Amino acid sequence: MNRELSIVALPGDGIGNEIFNEARKVLNWINNNSHYKLNITEELIGGSSIDASGEPLTNNVLEKLRVTDAILLGAVGGPKWEDLTFDKRPERGLLKIRKELDLFANFRPAIVFDSLASSSSLKPEIINGLDLMIIRELTGGIYFGEPRGVEKLNENNYKGFNTLVYTSEEIRRIASVAFETAQSRSKKLCSVDKANVLESTELWRKVIIEVSKDYPDVELNHMYVDNASMQLVRDPKQFDVIVTTNMFGDILSDCASMLTGSLGMLPSASVGVSTSGKKNAMYEPVHGSAPDISGKSIANPLAMILSVSMMFKYSFEDDNMSNIIIRNVNKVLNNGYRTKDIFTDECKLLSTSDMGDAVIEELKNEKL
Ligand code: IPM
Ligand code: MG
């Protein structure tokens, strides 16, 4: 029986369109070769939406995102829109989706692909086989806390302020997601906070400990964020699942992605549950819009393709299809195919679209 699902694609800015075109090839292949009937519609976000309507995300698009089965996003932002006022910037579109759809759980895997271990700036023995999951709280903390703003104190003195707020409910729900993820992996969870200085993260630690009582099989430890950033670079394999606040997760996930030597390879998922019980989720590469290489067909589309793999796992609950995509991306890498960002001597250099085609060529050998 056919499985009919809707996907809203938001290619966005910079390399967003180029990499989405390659993910689309994979989605089309799935449509033509499996029981899935994926209805894919494209909408605007970020700078491209600003150019068309003056807004980084229109309400019309937001309403479509509320009802779709999954969202696939490319990237937003670029120098063209950097001078706009704060609430008109491309990034606001992204933050609005996170908040409005309550996508509170952000999964950011940092995986070292065997054939790419030499691309990392760290020694191979430090990162070989690394498979780490950062779970970042995505709709709270200093990103959204009130009050916020910039106020004039006097003629030449201003006050800029943001507020780091967490309620125990917000912490509890991200904690449950993190413990459940740890249970499905190696049963180790590290919670990262700054409980020695910030009261809101003192509460974070207290609630994490409370929730841990429901997961006695998971080994929990705590780390201050400064130490965690150092430990990530010193010995990343000591971690399996990390759970942390919005801002710390933003910083630590960039750091972790670079350990893998392949920022262009990493996907992410942002997941939440609406009041009606519908699962909302958005999938996107960890990398940004890379305006400097946009339009040159040299961007790496694999993070976007792997984001589709996460979509099958988290939204469509189809681990098999998810693994098929990962397996074939691996085969392409093992065949020595590389885009410019991961190119090393003796490999074959491919353009963005040739890389997408290479994945399809491998997928053709799959029997579904
Ligand atoms: C990320 C990005 C965003 C964030 C920006 C683009 C708003 O850095 O997804 O990590 O800070 O969350
Ligand atoms: Mg970031």
Side-chain angles (χ1 to χ4, degrees):
M1 214 178 59
N2 277 348
R3 192 164 173 212
E4 210 172 322
L5 294 162
S6 65
I7 299 172
V8 176
L10 302 167
D13 308 321
I15 59 172
N17 270 297
E18 293 159 60
I19 58 174
F20 170 65
N21 287 340
E22 304 317 305
R24 172 128 212 171
K25 287 178 187 167
V26 173
L27 293 167
N28 289 346
W29 181 86
I30 291 170
N31 264 343
N32 294 332
N33 293 283
S34 73
H35 65 299
Y36 282 98
K37 191 174 173 328
L38 306 168
N39 297 311
I40 306 153
T41 47
E42 275 183 55
E43 301 292 345
L44 295 177
I45 188 169
S48 47
S49 174
I50 295 171
D51 289 349
S53 67
E55 298 285 328
L57 179 77
T58 64
N59 283 333
N60 181 29
V61 172
L62 180 62
E63 290 317 309
K64 291 180 185 166
L65 300 181
R66 283 190 205 284
V67 293
T68 190
D69 292 305
I71 304 165
L72 184 62
L73 179 109
V76 295
K80 184 175 173 193
W81 306 282
E82 256 160 29
D83 295 332
L84 292 172
T85 56
F86 188 72
D87 39 302
K88 293 285 180 222
R89 285 208 203 124
E91 291 79 6
R92 299 310 300 173
L94 187 60
L95 294 168
K96 189 166 167 187
I97 299 177
R98 290 176 182 170
K99 193 67 181 172
E100 288 289 328
L101 269 60
D102 201 16
L103 306 177
F104 69 92
N106 182 214
F107 294 85
R108 296 192 165 185
I111 298 165
V112 172
F113 294 83
D114 289 344
S115 47
L116 298 182
S118 60
S119 314
S120 172
S121 49
L122 270 72
K123 295 190 195 104
E125 63 268 27
I126 307 273
I127 50 113
N128 263 337
L130 177 71
D131 176 357
L132 155 74
M133 177 67 86
I134 296 189
I135 300 180
R136 168 186 178 193
E137 198 290 326
L138 202 61
T139 51
I142 199 163
Y143 270 55
F144 294 98
E146 299 283 347
R148 61 189 298 158
V150 179
E151 270 172 19
K152 190 170 186 171
L153 294 176
N154 59 45
E155 216 27 63
N156 43 28
N157 200 12
Y158 286 78
K159 181 173 84 170
F161 50 98
N162 291 87
T163 311
L164 172 48
V165 197
Y166 271 111
T167 64
S168 25
E169 248 165 49
E170 284 174 316
I171 304 166
R172 218 171 280 132
R173 66 179 185 170
I174 192 73
S176 302
V177 168
F179 279 104
E180 269 154 37
T181 306
Q183 265 182 338
S184 72
R185 295 171 51 110
S186 73
K187 300 191 166 47
K188 264 176 61 186
L189 177 65
C190 176
S191 169
V192 174
D193 60 37
K194 189 73 187 174
N196 52 343
V197 177
L198 304 170
E199 286 85 345
S200 53
T201 72
E202 196 186 349
L203 178 69
W204 174 280
R205 187 175 288 211
K206 188 167 162 260
V207 175
I208 297 272
I209 291 170
E210 271 165 33
V211 175
S212 74
K213 309 223 160 81
D214 296 335
Y215 302 89
D217 53 332
V218 175
E219 184 195 321
L220 170 69
N221 74 317
H222 305 271
M223 247 183 224
Y224 298 137
V225 62
D226 46 352
N227 183 28
S229 68
M230 183 273 277
Q231 294 294 344
L232 261 179
V233 180
R234 191 186 71 84
D235 174 22
K237 282 190 268 186
Q238 70 183 285
F239 299 104
D240 187 53
V241 181
I242 291 178
V243 63
T244 189
T245 65
N246 202 343
M247 170 102 125
F248 297 162
D250 179 44
I251 299 166
L252 292 181
S253 63
D254 262 32
C255 174
S257 70
M258 209 50 228
L259 298 175
T260 70
S262 45
L263 182 55
M265 299 288 305
L266 298 177
S268 74
S270 306
V271 183
V273 182
S274 75
T275 40
S276 66
K278 175 184 174 288
K279 193 175 199 176
N280 286 324
M282 176 161 72
Y283 301 87
E284 59 181 303
V286 167
H287 63 70
S289 61
D292 52 322
I293 61 163
S294 135
K296 297 185 179 161
S297 199
I298 57 174
N300 185 345
L302 295 178
M304 190 71 169
I305 290 173
L306 291 169
S307 298
V308 173
S309 150
M310 285 190 98
M311 178 185 288
F312 275 89
K313 182 177 165 74
Y314 289 82
S315 280
F316 306 157
E317 292 171 9
D318 183 347
D319 285 4
N320 184 43
M321 185 65 83
S322 174
N323 290 334
I324 286 175
I325 297 172
I326 298 171
R327 184 160 70 230
N328 287 284
V329 165
N330 259 315
K331 281 190 192 159
V332 168
L333 295 172
N334 291 339
N335 291 343
Y337 295 122
R338 303 281 188 274
T339 42
K340 196 163 174 252
D341 56 311
I342 49 175
F343 182 75
T344 45
D345 287 348
E346 283 149 45
C347 292
K348 289 159 241 161
L349 183 63
L350 296 189
S351 68
T352 307
S353 68
D354 287 345
M355 184 56 107
D357 291 342
V359 175
I360 299 295
E361 277 311 305
E362 287 301 335
L363 282 171
K364 283 182 185 162
N365 301 320
E366 289 286 344
K367 298 270 166 296
L368 295 185

